[in-house]
Every structure is written in structure tokens, then in C-alpha cells.
Amino acid sequence: EVQLVESGGGLVQAGGSLRLSCEVSGVTFEDYTIGWYRRAPGKAREGVSCITNGDGSAYYADSVKARFTISKDNAKSTVYLQMNSLKPEDTAVYYCAATNNPRFPPMKYDYWGQGTQVTVSS
């Protein structure tokens, strides 16, 4: 069974930091690109960041560049999203997703987690 489990969300004041984790199981972790998406209230789903587990190439949406950093730990089959200088507009449910399609950045993902809530207060 393929499982992606997000954790690390919570409530933080503007300017604060959180680190999200996505633990992946049921697939060969090293073969997959892992991405982070978010869905804010009243807004469309937005791709935030992704990382290839092959060469570690990373992508960031313009809205989070210089503030968020994606990383991975192959031994733990886990991808992290370090979020700094958080803004109220970062408030959303954050989802991780996985695909082994070679296109980068991916346009679609095959597996999704349940999401973790991030709330940034002003």
C-alpha cells in the first residue's frame, strides 16, 4: 500500500517558521519525485515545491522562493519543507504527492497524502 503521511503543520505568527515532513512508504523512494501542494481557503490548488530523488533537483513557486527550502532524507524515506518568514497568505492545507514520471517539474502526481494544516496569523 502506498502511503504519504504529512506532519508538522500548526499555528504560527507571521514571520515564524515551520517544518513539514512527508513520510513515504509503499514505493521505491529513490525513484520518485516528491512535491508539495497547498490549497488555501477560496483559492485553487497551488504547487509549492518539489524535489527529484534522483539528482535532488528542486523547484519552487515564485511565491515561496527564498523563504521555503525542500530537502530529503533517503534513509527515512522522508521529504521536508522548511518554511521561514511565513505570511498569512501561506495559510493552507499542505499536501505532499509522489510521481515517477520523468517530467520535471511534474504536471501531475500519482499518490497524495491527507494534508496538514498550516495557519499563519497576522
Side-chain angles (χ1 to χ4, degrees):
E1 180 183 358
V2 178
Q3 291 190 127
L4 284 73
V5 180
E6 302 96 333
S7 61
L11 174 64
V12 64
Q13 293 186 356
S17 298
L18 288 171
R19 189 178 76 159
L20 306 184
S21 298
C22 174
E23 185 177 359
V24 180
S25 62
V27 299
T28 303
F29 181 73
E30 295 83 0
D31 293 340
Y32 279 74
T33 295
I34 309 297
W36 288 97
Y37 273 74
R38 65 186 181 186
R39 190 184 299 276
K43 297 182 179 180
R45 186 184 66 185
E46 177 187 20
V48 176
S49 183
C50 56
I51 186 167
T52 62
N53 283 318
D55 61 8
S57 297
Y59 163 86
Y60 299 95
D62 288 342
S63 58
V64 305
K65 285 180 180 177
R67 298 190 298 120
F68 292 10
T69 302
I70 192 168
S71 62
K72 63 178 181 178
D73 185 336
N74 287 338
K76 297 181 179 180
S77 296
T78 299
V79 170
Y80 304 97
L81 186 68
Q82 178 67 46
M83 306 186 296
N84 298 326
S85 301
L86 283 162
K87 305 174 181 179
E89 51 263 44
D90 295 318
T91 295
V93 178
Y94 284 71
Y95 302 88
C96 64
T99 183
N100 65 355
N101 190 286
R103 189 188 193 280
F104 190 84
M107 295 299 295
K108 66 173 295 184
Y109 289 86
D110 302 307
Y111 307 104
W112 292 82
Q114 293 295 114
T116 185
Q117 176 70 49
V118 171
T119 302
V120 184
S121 64
S122 59

